mmCIF file of all heavy atoms in Angstrom:
data_model
loop_
_atom_site.group_PDB
_atom_site.id
_atom_site.type_symbol
_atom_site.label_atom_id
_atom_site.label_comp_id
_atom_site.label_asym_id
_atom_site.label_seq_id
_atom_site.Cartn_x
_atom_site.Cartn_y
_atom_site.Cartn_z
ATOM 1 N N ALA A 108 -70.393 -52.134 -29.812
ATOM 2 C CA ALA A 108 -71.441 -51.901 -28.772
ATOM 3 C C ALA A 108 -71.338 -52.902 -27.610
ATOM 4 O O ALA A 108 -71.388 -52.471 -26.492
ATOM 5 C CB ALA A 108 -72.847 -52.066 -29.468
ATOM 6 N N SER A 109 -71.023 -54.153 -27.965
ATOM 7 C CA SER A 109 -70.830 -55.111 -26.849
ATOM 8 C C SER A 109 -69.642 -54.784 -26.059
ATOM 9 O O SER A 109 -69.613 -54.970 -24.830
ATOM 10 C CB SER A 109 -70.789 -56.515 -27.453
ATOM 11 O OG SER A 109 -69.765 -56.647 -28.423
ATOM 12 N N TYR A 110 -68.537 -54.396 -26.635
ATOM 13 C CA TYR A 110 -67.348 -54.064 -25.971
ATOM 14 C C TYR A 110 -67.606 -52.786 -24.993
ATOM 15 O O TYR A 110 -67.177 -52.871 -23.853
ATOM 16 C CB TYR A 110 -66.185 -53.765 -26.842
ATOM 17 C CG TYR A 110 -64.971 -53.204 -26.194
ATOM 18 C CD1 TYR A 110 -64.200 -53.957 -25.369
ATOM 19 C CD2 TYR A 110 -64.584 -51.826 -26.308
ATOM 20 C CE1 TYR A 110 -63.132 -53.434 -24.654
ATOM 21 C CE2 TYR A 110 -63.481 -51.353 -25.599
ATOM 22 C CZ TYR A 110 -62.800 -52.050 -24.787
ATOM 23 O OH TYR A 110 -61.722 -51.568 -24.110
ATOM 24 N N ALA A 111 -68.287 -51.845 -25.561
ATOM 25 C CA ALA A 111 -68.540 -50.640 -24.699
ATOM 26 C C ALA A 111 -69.440 -50.969 -23.467
ATOM 27 O O ALA A 111 -69.165 -50.526 -22.369
ATOM 28 C CB ALA A 111 -69.214 -49.554 -25.570
ATOM 29 N N LEU A 112 -70.339 -51.826 -23.677
ATOM 30 C CA LEU A 112 -71.215 -52.198 -22.546
ATOM 31 C C LEU A 112 -70.533 -53.112 -21.537
ATOM 32 O O LEU A 112 -71.075 -53.254 -20.438
ATOM 33 C CB LEU A 112 -72.484 -52.937 -23.110
ATOM 34 C CG LEU A 112 -73.530 -52.088 -23.891
ATOM 35 C CD1 LEU A 112 -74.647 -52.999 -24.466
ATOM 36 C CD2 LEU A 112 -74.069 -50.945 -23.029
ATOM 37 N N SER A 113 -69.475 -53.696 -21.853
ATOM 38 C CA SER A 113 -68.764 -54.569 -21.038
ATOM 39 C C SER A 113 -67.819 -53.795 -20.063
ATOM 40 O O SER A 113 -67.329 -54.368 -19.103
ATOM 41 C CB SER A 113 -67.938 -55.580 -21.781
ATOM 42 O OG SER A 113 -66.839 -54.931 -22.467
ATOM 43 N N ARG A 114 -67.562 -52.433 -20.436
ATOM 44 C CA ARG A 114 -66.691 -51.663 -19.575
ATOM 45 C C ARG A 114 -67.426 -51.095 -18.412
ATOM 46 O O ARG A 114 -68.503 -50.543 -18.537
ATOM 47 C CB ARG A 114 -66.099 -50.557 -20.436
ATOM 48 C CG ARG A 114 -65.243 -50.990 -21.645
ATOM 49 C CD ARG A 114 -64.029 -51.861 -21.190
ATOM 50 N NE ARG A 114 -64.385 -53.320 -21.150
ATOM 51 C CZ ARG A 114 -63.524 -54.190 -20.677
ATOM 52 N NH1 ARG A 114 -62.392 -53.886 -20.191
ATOM 53 N NH2 ARG A 114 -63.922 -55.540 -20.813
ATOM 54 N N LYS A 115 -66.833 -51.263 -17.214
ATOM 55 C CA LYS A 115 -67.460 -50.780 -15.992
ATOM 56 C C LYS A 115 -67.535 -49.286 -15.879
ATOM 57 O O LYS A 115 -68.408 -48.737 -15.217
ATOM 58 C CB LYS A 115 -66.687 -51.314 -14.741
ATOM 59 C CG LYS A 115 -66.784 -52.867 -14.689
ATOM 60 C CD LYS A 115 -65.864 -53.377 -13.524
ATOM 61 C CE LYS A 115 -65.866 -54.849 -13.396
ATOM 62 N NZ LYS A 115 -65.085 -55.345 -12.289
ATOM 63 N N ARG A 116 -66.649 -48.580 -16.561
ATOM 64 C CA ARG A 116 -66.580 -47.158 -16.450
ATOM 65 C C ARG A 116 -67.432 -46.424 -17.476
ATOM 66 O O ARG A 116 -67.388 -45.253 -17.601
ATOM 67 C CB ARG A 116 -65.095 -46.674 -16.573
ATOM 68 C CG ARG A 116 -64.160 -47.173 -15.454
ATOM 69 C CD ARG A 116 -62.750 -46.732 -15.611
ATOM 70 N NE ARG A 116 -61.914 -47.293 -14.596
ATOM 71 C CZ ARG A 116 -60.608 -47.015 -14.496
ATOM 72 N NH1 ARG A 116 -59.973 -46.251 -15.467
ATOM 73 N NH2 ARG A 116 -59.846 -47.520 -13.628
ATOM 74 N N LEU A 117 -68.179 -47.068 -18.300
ATOM 75 C CA LEU A 117 -69.104 -46.498 -19.231
ATOM 76 C C LEU A 117 -70.137 -45.679 -18.614
ATOM 77 O O LEU A 117 -70.862 -46.120 -17.793
ATOM 78 C CB LEU A 117 -69.708 -47.568 -20.137
ATOM 79 C CG LEU A 117 -70.657 -47.079 -21.218
ATOM 80 C CD1 LEU A 117 -69.964 -46.223 -22.277
ATOM 81 C CD2 LEU A 117 -71.377 -48.265 -21.867
ATOM 82 N N TYR A 118 -70.099 -44.400 -18.940
ATOM 83 C CA TYR A 118 -71.182 -43.484 -18.378
ATOM 84 C C TYR A 118 -72.508 -43.779 -18.945
ATOM 85 O O TYR A 118 -72.657 -43.880 -20.205
ATOM 86 C CB TYR A 118 -70.723 -41.996 -18.665
ATOM 87 C CG TYR A 118 -71.630 -40.974 -18.070
ATOM 88 C CD1 TYR A 118 -71.604 -40.693 -16.710
ATOM 89 C CD2 TYR A 118 -72.567 -40.359 -18.872
ATOM 90 C CE1 TYR A 118 -72.480 -39.740 -16.222
ATOM 91 C CE2 TYR A 118 -73.447 -39.377 -18.371
ATOM 92 C CZ TYR A 118 -73.365 -39.118 -17.033
ATOM 93 O OH TYR A 118 -74.262 -38.187 -16.413
ATOM 94 N N GLY A 119 -73.509 -43.914 -18.052
ATOM 95 C CA GLY A 119 -74.817 -44.186 -18.547
ATOM 96 C C GLY A 119 -74.995 -45.681 -19.061
ATOM 97 O O GLY A 119 -75.844 -45.903 -19.906
ATOM 98 N N LYS A 120 -74.237 -46.562 -18.419
ATOM 99 C CA LYS A 120 -74.230 -47.904 -18.908
ATOM 100 C C LYS A 120 -75.621 -48.556 -18.800
ATOM 101 O O LYS A 120 -76.050 -49.325 -19.619
ATOM 102 C CB LYS A 120 -73.219 -48.728 -18.072
ATOM 103 C CG LYS A 120 -73.162 -50.168 -18.438
ATOM 104 C CD LYS A 120 -72.013 -50.910 -17.619
ATOM 105 C CE LYS A 120 -71.914 -52.361 -17.959
ATOM 106 N NZ LYS A 120 -70.838 -53.063 -17.197
ATOM 107 N N LYS A 121 -76.288 -48.389 -17.656
ATOM 108 C CA LYS A 121 -77.631 -48.956 -17.439
ATOM 109 C C LYS A 121 -78.574 -48.418 -18.479
ATOM 110 O O LYS A 121 -79.486 -49.135 -18.954
ATOM 111 C CB LYS A 121 -78.138 -48.635 -16.037
ATOM 112 C CG LYS A 121 -77.245 -49.390 -14.991
ATOM 113 C CD LYS A 121 -77.913 -49.096 -13.581
ATOM 114 C CE LYS A 121 -77.050 -49.812 -12.557
ATOM 115 N NZ LYS A 121 -77.604 -49.554 -11.132
#
Side-chain angles (χ1 to χ4, degrees):
S109 58
Y110 170 72
L112 292 177
S113 70
R114 299 300 91 187
K115 298 178 181 178
R116 298 180 181 180
L117 176 66
Y118 182 77
K120 180 178 179 179
K121 294 183 178 179

